[in-house]
Amino acid sequence: EFNASAIKPIKETPMPNRTLRQVVEGQTVISSLADASVRAAAVTMANSKVGAIMVVDGKGQLTGLFTERDVLNRVVAKGLDPDTTPLSAVMTSALQTATPDKPLAHALHMMFEGGFRHVPVVENGKPVGMVSARNALGLEICQFEKELKDRDHIAEIL
């Protein structure tokens, strides 16, 4: 006899159920002290190919975040000199952070609700990594790029 209730629907998981610790594993923490100039931070961000830098105190505790948007909105648009403006004057200090044990979905939800693109991952007040909207979707983007390449390859064969 056929039992329809025994058939379980296939659940699609739009993103792997990774913890933030798994997402930031192997990341180099890009940080700076609050008295560093905006230009020094921007150079570090450009060289590291990141969109945000974590601002820490002398003990390595997270005190702020400085992003590409901050360069645009709080420095350039306001006519401030990047060589003389310290990060402390233009960083975000009221931060929303997450602990490494939280799922990736938690950080994505924080970004969506708060309208920002970076969530520092912090353990005992110290940054252990950064989740960005971009690297949070890393696996999905890689899969998408692979699918595009496969499609192009099939098109070439045909």
Side-chain angles (χ1 to χ4, degrees), residues 28-51:
T28 302
V29 173
I30 309 298
S31 65
S32 175
L33 295 171
D35 60 357
S37 73
V38 165
R39 183 170 316 275
V43 166
T44 299
M45 289 161 62
N47 291 341
S48 306
K49 295 181 173 60
V50 295

Side-chain angles (χ1 to χ4, degrees), residues 33-154:
L33 295 171
D35 60 357
S37 73
V38 165
R39 183 170 316 275
V43 166
T44 299
M45 289 161 62
N47 291 341
S48 306
K49 295 181 173 60
V50 295
I53 191 166
M54 292 184 267
V55 184
V56 294
D57 64 16
K59 294 178 181 163
Q61 297 285 308
L62 184 68
T63 60
L65 186 67
F66 184 69
T67 70
E68 294 165 322
R69 281 184 176 176
D70 295 330
V71 173
L72 182 69
N73 299 321
R74 297 179 178 179
V75 181
V76 176
K78 299 263 194 291
L80 299 179
D81 180 350
D83 292 311
T84 59
T85 303
L87 289 181
S88 58
V90 289
M91 70 184 189
T92 299
S93 47
L95 290 181
Q96 292 192 39
T97 63
T99 52
D101 57 305
K102 294 280 190 224
L104 173 56
H106 174 77
L108 292 174
H109 182 74
M110 287 172 67
M111 288 181 219
F112 178 76
E113 290 290 310
F116 46 84
R117 293 183 283 192
H118 297 89
V119 175
V121 181
V122 177
E123 204 163 30
N124 302 319
K126 293 186 178 177
V128 294
M130 175 92 74
V131 177
S132 70
R134 183 176 182 174
N135 75 3
L137 298 174
L139 290 181
E140 288 75 12
I141 288 170
C142 290
Q143 182 60 35
F144 179 67
E145 286 173 345
K146 181 187 177 309
E147 287 171 14
L148 286 179
K149 281 183 186 144
D150 290 350
R151 192 185 67 188
D152 289 346
H153 181 68
I154 291 166

